[in-house]
Amino acid sequence: MLLVAYFILALTVLSVCAIATNGAVRGGGAYFMISRTLGPEVGGSIGLMFYLANVCGCAVSLLGLVEAVLDVFGADSTRSSGLQVLPQGYGWSLLYGSLLLGLVGGVCTLGAGLYARASFLTFLLVSGSLASVLVSFVAVGPRSITLAPRPGPNGSSLPPQVGHFTGFNSSTLKANLGAGYAKDYTTGAMMTFASVFAVLFNGCTGIMAGANMSGELKDPSRAIPLGTIVAVTYTFFIYTLLFFLSSFTCDRTLLQEDYGFFRAISLWPPLVLIGIYATALSASMSSLIGASRILHALAQDDLFGMILAPAKVVSRTGNPWGAVLYSWGLVQLVLLAGKLNTLAAVVTVFYLVAYAAVDLSCLSLEWASAPNFRPTFSLFSWHTCLLGVASCLLMMFLISPGAAGGSLLLMGLLSALLTARGGPSSWGYVSQALLFHQVRKYLLRLDVRKDHVKFWRPQLLLLVGNPRGALPLLRLANQLKKGGLYVLGHVTLGDLDCLPSDPVQPQYGAWLSLVDRAQVKAFVDLTLSPSVRQGAQHLLRISGLGGMKPNTLVLGFYDDSAPQDHFLTDPAFSEAADGIQEGGSPALSSLFPPPRAPGSPRALSPQDYVATVADALKMNKNVVLARACGALPPERLSRGSGATSPPHHVDVWPLNLLRPRGGPGYVDVCGLFLLQMATILGMVPAWHSARLRIFLCLGPREAPGAAEGRLRALLSQLRIRAEVQEVVWGEGAGSGEPEEEEEEEGDFVNGRRGDAEAEALASSANALVRAQQGRSRGEGPGGPEGGDGEGGPATALTFLYLPRPPADAARYTRYLALLETLTRDLGPTLLIHGVTPVTCTDL
């Protein structure tokens, strides 16, 4: 048991020394080390548990001291013929423990200086007592010792037993080598390896006594490793020597029946009593002052709010007497339990949790491979740290599975509480270093040459000018990403040669706060460029890393509508009138300029807007243009389920409506991309109630059914559930029916047809789409006034085929005007052009 205990302690000591020599250690000891490594959530929870372990440890030491006093001076004691003057019983034991706690608490309240002097005095007393015991093993001859009678059934006493001190005898040693567990004298339960180890381990938990006093040490980075290693080595030597001498000279009866047998074999028994009392007082003082320092550090970090506010109070000399009194009161409550060995198991488990956390902290720092982790103490490795964590967890469950499970549950609840409260973010989280290390490793293994279409997912780059007007689009793009990369891009206009510093870097904080407040899973990428178009090229080329790079550009639609300020209406962005957030930081609304006023100059011209679309297609990027996303109801953009929302339609027009006769019923790569994006949106919980409708355009002389059959077969292969509808061109569209001859791709957008004809075709297509939307709402062909009043599901979002921009840049403005006509009054609409295959029918 001693070897197991000190093996665990040695591994933990190595971790403590490594962390203590890697930087300045302030007050709080083990709590400070854990919290500054694993973060406030884990550190705060384990720090509180370590504090409770010290509180209970103080109570255990005091109960042991009361037991030792009553064993000699108790009125009912049968083990001594001395002054049996102290009344016994639960109430009296509680009184004696409280008086002794008053003595210990008084010393600790007066400061670390008095505690240090008292500790040195007890060290001298214990050393003298120990020396007399060691000499007695050699100097005292064999003797028989009559033991106190044990209580028998019905209140009677059993005959007294006789123990023997045999001197050094090999037969005695051989008889003592077996286990031979007996009943616990306080609970009557049969003892086991685990229960005895729990009591034994309490005598080894002082390794953190020096670390807990880190705030009072002159040079903690030197004193903690040196003092801890010397103390552990010294105590291990003393324990081993005492165990060896006792088992060689005392028979099992004496060892089991008289736990004060050192007095019976001592040359001067009173000196043994002085040593026992001094040891218990020293342990209780160490636990109480250690607990108070941990509590003071917890209170200073303000992790648990007002409940620990009294522990912040300090004297003029810096002594945290408020934390001492706080701990004093808790120890008094623990004394009410009165069961020494029961408390010992709980205390041991709490200590083991703290030791495991110290080992885990050092293991995390070692695994993170951070350049700044350079401890001057080098006698450790990740193997010792990992073995320390595993040993502590194993012994926890061997000692008391219930207490171990309860302690881990308590740690989880405290961590959840601290996470909900929000802790300091300036400590540095080793989890971030570990994530960086792992992400870098896996990004290197993400080989773009191994990409396959069946594992394709959208990786979006959303270009945003001012997030005040783009908030609905920002959330809609988050729904479209399907676990893929999502980057928010923004171009700041300027030339670094003409500026004293980079204006982009200070903006990152505001954009990251925007991502947090909007609850989207996006990265932020900002750039500085003389024009938006060049900045978009920069972002398309360099955003992402390795195999995670955007494959789809998302833009808001370029029109003359006045931008809205969604910060004013979105509940997530509601802030105090003074523009200050909780915590004193500037409100998010003050970090972004107000929306552009109607008629004011724009940072992007129509030509550059269309040129940006053309640039993306040249780079083999898919393009999504979003119009009127602000009309989407909030429940469609929420993260919750849309099962309770009214049914609605998502309409998909997978054919180029500006070239309707160019192969009727045929769905190309771009059309399949539309279907894929609409299907992805339907997988989002907020869109589960949506019904997907796919429309195919037929000419006046087109035979119905053939194109629909081919599309249904394709949808079956692609596992897409949708309603297919064939629409005759010109139905509800007025007089804009195209001529019968085939037109080549780009005839209308490239100007090979007249402007009036192209405008008429776009108007006809717009009327056709609106007619189908009207029918979904129960309206007649004539629009809302001609409806039959049935009020069917409305169209929530429309997916349209985005034609390629014209080759002639002079026709960009006309192209944009055609898109405006095509999407006018359609409500929320996504114009999409896909250039990469995204669907697969293989397993």
Side-chain angles (χ1 to χ4, degrees):
M1 288 185 188
L2 190 70
L3 289 174
V4 170
Y6 270 85
F7 177 73
I8 296 174
L9 293 180
L11 295 174
T12 305
V13 166
L14 296 180
S15 300
V16 169
C17 294
I19 298 176
T21 58
N22 189 53
V25 179
R26 296 194 290 273
Y31 158 70
F32 182 86
M33 299 178 189
I34 296 169
S35 61
R36 267 47 174 192
T37 303
L38 300 182
E41 295 82 6
V42 177
S45 60
I46 295 178
L48 185 61
M49 294 174 65
F50 190 44
Y51 165 73
L52 294 176
N54 278 274
V55 166
C56 294
C58 178
V60 167
S61 299
L62 290 173
L63 288 173
L65 178 56
V66 170
E67 190 176 275
V69 170
L70 293 179
D71 189 51
V72 177
F73 300 106
D76 301 331
S77 174
T78 57
R79 298 178 182 271
S80 173
S81 56
L83 296 175
Q84 299 172 332
V85 294
L86 296 179
Q88 291 184 247
Y90 170 78
W92 289 105
S93 296
L94 179 61
L95 175 62
Y96 302 146
S98 301
L99 293 175
L100 292 171
L101 175 60
L103 173 63
V104 171
V107 171
C108 295
T109 303
L110 293 177
L114 181 60
Y115 162 75
R117 289 189 287 272
S119 294
F120 184 69
L121 175 61
T122 57
F123 173 74
L124 293 178
L125 293 175
V126 171
S127 299
S129 175
L130 187 60
S132 73
V133 170
L134 295 177
V135 171
S136 298
F137 276 114
V138 180
V140 174
R143 63 177 65 176
S144 297
I145 301 167
T146 303
L147 305 176
R150 297 180 61 183
N154 302 322
S156 60
S157 296
L158 297 176
Q161 294 180 283
V162 177
H164 299 89
F165 176 77
T166 63
F168 289 94
N169 189 310
S170 59
S171 299
T172 304
L173 176 64
K174 186 180 295 185
N176 284 331
L177 289 180
Y181 295 108
K183 290 184 177 181
D184 177 11
Y185 63 91
T186 60
T187 63
M190 180 62 68
M191 300 299 283
T192 62
F193 177 91
S195 57
V196 175
F197 181 82
V199 178
L200 169 71
F201 195 79
N202 260 291
C204 312
T205 53
I207 64 168
M208 292 293 187
N212 291 341
M213 296 291 294
S214 56
E216 277 81 16
L217 297 176
K218 184 177 181 181
D219 184 7
S221 294
R222 177 183 178 275
I224 290 176
L226 180 62
T228 304
I229 291 175
V230 170
V232 169
T233 305
Y234 177 77
T235 55
F236 177 72
F237 172 75
I238 296 298
Y239 274 134
T240 303
L241 187 60
L242 288 176
F243 285 10
F244 173 76
L245 294 176
S246 300
S247 58
F248 225 116
T249 58
C250 303
D251 68 358
R252 183 179 294 275
T253 302
L254 179 61
L255 294 175
Q256 281 190 334
E257 300 297 330
D258 185 5
Y259 43 83
F261 69 93
F262 278 167
R263 295 199 315 275
I265 64 172
S266 176
L267 292 173
W268 191 45
L271 191 57
V272 175
L273 287 179
I274 292 173
I276 293 174
Y277 298 162
T279 301
L281 281 174
S282 175
S284 58
M285 282 192 300
S286 172
S287 296
L288 183 60
I289 200 165
S292 66
R293 269 46 182 183
I294 296 170
L295 183 66
H296 180 65
L298 282 166
Q300 287 290 94
D301 290 337
D302 200 26
L303 296 183
F304 292 94
M306 293 300 297
I307 192 171
L308 296 185
K312 294 182 181 180
V313 181
V314 296
S315 65
R316 295 181 186 176
T317 58
N319 178 41
W321 61 269
V324 174
L325 295 180
Y326 204 109
S327 305
W328 187 340
L330 284 181
V331 174
Q332 183 65 60
L333 291 177
V334 176
L335 287 175
L336 295 173
K339 296 291 184 179
L340 181 63
N341 289 348
T342 303
L343 282 176
V346 176
V347 173
T348 298
V349 167
F350 277 18
Y351 273 121
L352 285 171
V353 169
Y355 295 165
V358 172
D359 288 321
L360 181 61
S361 300
C362 191
L363 176 66
S364 302
L365 290 170
E366 181 70 8
W367 272 353
S369 301
N372 283 323
F373 183 58
R374 301 188 298 270
T376 56
F377 181 86
S378 58
L379 298 178
F380 77 102
S381 71
W382 69 266
H383 303 85
T384 61
C385 300
L386 183 60
L387 193 57
V389 174
S391 301
C392 290
L393 294 178
L394 177 64
M395 292 313 302
M396 280 169 52
F397 283 94
L398 284 179
I399 291 171
S400 176
S407 65
L408 294 179
L409 178 61
L410 176 61
M411 183 181 72
L413 292 175
L414 291 172
S415 297
L417 173 64
L418 292 174
T419 301
R421 276 183 51 84
S425 58
S426 59
W427 293 354
Y429 293 82
V430 74
S431 59
Q432 295 296 305
L434 286 170
L435 284 173
F436 178 89
H437 188 266
Q438 293 301 107
V439 167
R440 181 195 63 85
K441 181 171 70 173
Y442 286 113
L443 269 177
L444 289 171
R445 297 174 63 181
L446 187 60
D447 192 345
V448 294
R449 295 168 295 183
K450 297 179 182 179
D451 281 349
H452 194 279
V453 64
K454 65 184 178 184
F455 299 120
W456 180 91
R457 66 181 71 227
Q459 305 199 78
L460 308 180
L461 169 63
L462 171 61
L463 286 184
V464 179
N466 189 336
R468 287 177 176 271
L471 202 53
L473 176 56
L474 190 143
R475 290 196 169 114
L476 180 62
N478 185 66
Q479 295 175 328
L480 286 170
K481 71 181 187 302
K482 186 52 181 174
L485 178 68
Y486 180 23
V487 179
L488 285 182
H490 174 72
V491 180
T492 299
L493 297 180
D495 187 350
L496 195 58
D497 290 339
C498 305
L499 297 170
S501 62
D502 184 7
V504 169
Q505 295 301 323
Q507 299 178 24
Y508 271 95
W511 284 88
L512 292 174
S513 298
L514 169 73
V515 168
D516 293 338
R517 192 74 66 88
Q519 294 184 319
V520 296
K521 298 177 181 178
F523 297 96
V524 172
D525 221 341
L526 311 179
T527 189
L528 180 71
S529 178
S531 71
V532 175
R533 180 185 177 186
Q534 291 182 24
Q537 292 177 2
H538 297 167
L539 294 174
L540 282 170
R541 292 186 186 280
I542 66 175
S543 289
L545 193 63
M548 295 185 66
K549 296 184 75 68
N551 57 28
T552 304
L553 173 66
V554 183
L555 296 170
F557 194 77
Y558 196 101
D559 57 19
D560 296 328
S561 60
Q564 303 178 37
D565 190 351
H566 295 283
F567 280 14
L568 300 177
T569 56
D570 195 295
F573 289 81
S574 58
E575 293 163 332
D578 57 2
I580 301 297
Q581 296 184 63
E582 185 178 351
S585 58
L588 192 59
S589 59
S590 65
L591 301 177
F592 294 103
R596 175 182 56 85
S600 60
R602 305 174 73 159
L604 186 64
S605 67
Q607 290 81 1
D608 279 353
Y609 177 81
V610 180
T612 301
V613 174
D615 293 341
L617 295 176
K618 291 176 185 177
M619 296 180 188
N620 205 36
K621 307 292 185 183
N622 310 296
V623 175
V624 177
L625 305 183
R627 185 171 191 184
C629 288
L632 285 169
E635 61 269 16
R636 300 281 178 251
L637 301 174
S638 67
R639 302 177 64 187
S641 173
T644 58
S645 61
H648 53 282
H649 288 144
V650 172
D651 292 349
V652 181
W653 297 77
L655 299 179
N656 187 352
L657 293 179
L658 298 185
R659 191 174 59 92
R661 293 296 309 278
Y666 175 73
V667 178
D668 59 5
V669 170
C670 182
L672 290 174
F673 189 87
L674 263 75
L675 292 176
Q676 183 80 322
M677 296 299 285
T679 304
I680 287 173
L681 186 64
M683 297 177 179
V684 179
W687 292 86
H688 278 173
S689 61
R691 301 175 185 174
L692 188 60
R693 294 194 305 178
I694 303 174
F695 293 94
L696 291 179
C697 292
L698 300 180
R701 297 179 178 85
E702 189 76 29
E708 180 180 349
R710 290 196 300 270
L711 181 58
R712 288 190 184 278
L714 177 62
L715 294 177
S716 177
Q717 288 181 310
L718 297 177
R719 290 87 60 202
I720 297 176
R721 300 177 60 182
E723 173 187 345
V724 179
Q725 294 186 16
E726 288 186 335
V727 179
V728 178
W729 182 264
E731 182 179 327
S735 60
E737 182 179 335
E739 300 176 7
E740 294 185 16
E741 65 269 15
E742 298 274 344
E743 63 267 359
E744 298 178 5
E745 179 168 1
D747 276 357
F748 289 99
V749 297
N750 283 312
R752 287 191 285 269
R753 297 296 181 107
D755 289 354
E757 187 178 355
E759 183 71 21
L761 179 60
S763 298
S764 299
N766 174 266
L768 177 64
V769 175
R770 284 194 292 114
Q772 299 306 315
Q773 291 181 347
R775 288 185 177 181
S776 72
R777 292 189 294 268
E779 300 169 2
E785 291 81 3
D788 57 13
E790 294 179 2
T795 298
L797 186 62
T798 302
F799 286 76
L800 296 182
Y801 190 117
L802 173 67
R804 274 185 174 273
D808 183 5
R811 307 198 65 83
Y812 281 174
T813 304
R814 179 177 177 275
Y815 168 81
L816 189 57
L818 288 177
L819 297 184
E820 198 283 330
T821 302
L822 176 64
T823 57
R824 186 180 299 156
D825 299 328
L826 295 186
T829 304
L830 296 182
L831 284 158
I832 299 178
H833 192 96
V835 295
T836 55
V838 296
T839 57
C840 180
T841 58
D842 296 334
L843 181 61

